[in-house]
Amino acid sequence: MALARAATLLVAFSATRAYAADIGYLAPPGVAANEFPSPQRPVAQIVSPRRSAEEQRDARNEAGQIARLLELKQGMTVGDIGAGSGYHTVRLSHLVGPAGSVVAQDVTRDYLIELARRTELLKLTNVKFALGEPHDPRLPASSLDAAILVHMYHEIAQPYAFLYNLAPALKRGARVGIVDLELPTSKHGTPIELLRCELTAVGYRAVATYKLAGDGGYLAVFSPPEGAGRKSPRDIVACGDRAGRR
C-alpha cells in the first residue's frame, strides 16, 4: 500500500514538473514598471483562483453574456487575462472552436499548472498558457482579437504598466472587456469612473458599459490605443483615489 501511494505521488510530482516546464513567458519583456506611475489607490491581494462556484456563474450565464456583448466568435484568438482556475478559458475554448484559440494568462504559475491539467482532462487542444508579470502580460504582438479581464482588474499591482504592455498584443480593431463590481478596490471591485480614468490615462477609449445579470457586476468595453493615441509612459498621470479606499 505504501509503495503504491509513493508511486502515485511520484507520478503526480513528475506530471507537475512536466506542466511547469511547458509554462512560461510567450514574449520578451515590455516597458519596465519603474517607467510608470503607481496607482493612487489600494491594490487588492490575489486570494483565490476562482471568484465563486462555476454552477452559480453558469446560472447567471456569465460567460454567455460576455461573449455576446463582446461579439466573440469562432476562429478568434481571445486572451483570458488573469485566467485563474479557467472558468472562462474552458468556455471560450468551445466558443472559438478548433480554428480559434484561447490564451490563458496569469501571474501565478501554480494556477496555470492546474489549468493545464484541467484542459488536458477535458481534451481542449486550442488553449495556450502564458505566464505574466505584475506589470506586463508578456504576450506576443498583434496576437489577440479580444481580451477579457474578469473580476481581477483590482488585483493588478501595476495597472498603468500592465495596460500599456497589453496594448501591443491586441490586433487592430480588438476589444478589451473588463468585468468588475461597483465597489472600492480594497473590497475587490473597481468603481467604473476610476476604471475609465485609469484606462483613459493609458490611451484606451471607452466603447460601452453593460450591467451583467445577478451579482455579476458590470462589463466595460474598451478599444486599445493606436498610433498617436499611444502615450509615452512618462506622460501617463495616475488617477486620484476618490473611491478606492472607502
Side-chain angles (χ1 to χ4, degrees):
M1 182 72 79
L3 286 175
R5 184 178 180 185
T8 300
L9 290 172
L10 180 60
V11 169
F13 178 71
S14 299
T16 297
R17 290 188 63 186
Y19 285 124
D22 292 337
I23 292 172
Y25 304 121
L26 295 187
V31 181
N34 61 9
E35 296 291 322
F36 299 86
S38 296
Q40 301 302 303
R41 43 82 171 173
V43 174
Q45 290 187 333
I46 300 174
V47 294
S48 172
R50 60 184 58 82
R51 177 175 181 253
S52 59
E54 296 198 359
E55 295 78 9
Q56 295 175 358
R57 301 174 80 172
D58 282 344
R60 294 192 300 268
N61 191 28
E62 179 180 309
Q65 290 182 85
I66 294 170
R68 176 177 59 82
L69 295 169
L70 280 177
E71 300 181 357
L72 305 181
K73 300 179 176 67
Q74 287 197 11
M76 284 185 167
T77 297
V78 182
D80 185 5
I81 311 299
S85 64
Y87 173 79
H88 284 284
T89 294
V90 168
R91 286 151 183 82
L92 285 169
S93 173
H94 295 295
L95 174 68
V96 300
S101 62
V102 181
V103 180
Q105 186 275 348
D106 209 289
V107 297
T108 305
R109 182 188 289 271
D110 287 348
Y111 292 173
L112 294 177
I113 292 172
E114 289 300 319
L115 182 51
R117 287 199 191 100
R118 180 180 184 183
T119 56
E120 184 177 62
L121 288 171
L122 293 172
K123 296 181 170 51
L124 304 179
T125 59
N126 60 350
V127 178
K128 302 174 184 178
F129 302 93
L131 185 65
E133 299 179 78
H135 73 288
D136 187 353
R138 299 288 294 269
L139 296 172
S142 301
S143 59
L144 302 179
D145 295 296
I148 62 170
L149 296 78
V150 181
H151 293 294
M152 55 73 69
Y153 182 83
H154 49 267
E155 297 174 347
I156 300 175
Q158 299 285 341
Y160 300 104
F162 194 91
L163 291 167
Y164 188 92
N165 286 321
L166 171 64
L170 298 162
K171 297 178 184 179
R172 188 174 188 86
R175 291 289 182 265
V176 177
I178 299 178
V179 176
D180 220 329
L181 301 173
E182 187 66 41
L183 291 173
T185 54
S186 58
K187 296 182 178 179
H188 289 268
T190 309
I192 186 63
E193 291 305 322
L194 175 63
L195 181 75
R196 289 173 183 150
C197 182
E198 292 189 347
L199 271 88
T200 300
V202 185
Y204 288 73
R205 290 180 292 111
V207 175
T209 303
Y210 306 94
K211 186 178 186 334
L212 300 179
D215 68 345
Y218 61 78
L219 167 65
V221 183
F222 296 86
S223 61
E226 296 178 357
R230 189 162 164 79
K231 298 181 179 181
S232 165
R234 295 294 186 181
D235 292 333
I236 295 172
V237 178
C239 299
D241 178 20
R242 290 174 291 181
R245 295 185 186 278
R246 293 206 301 269

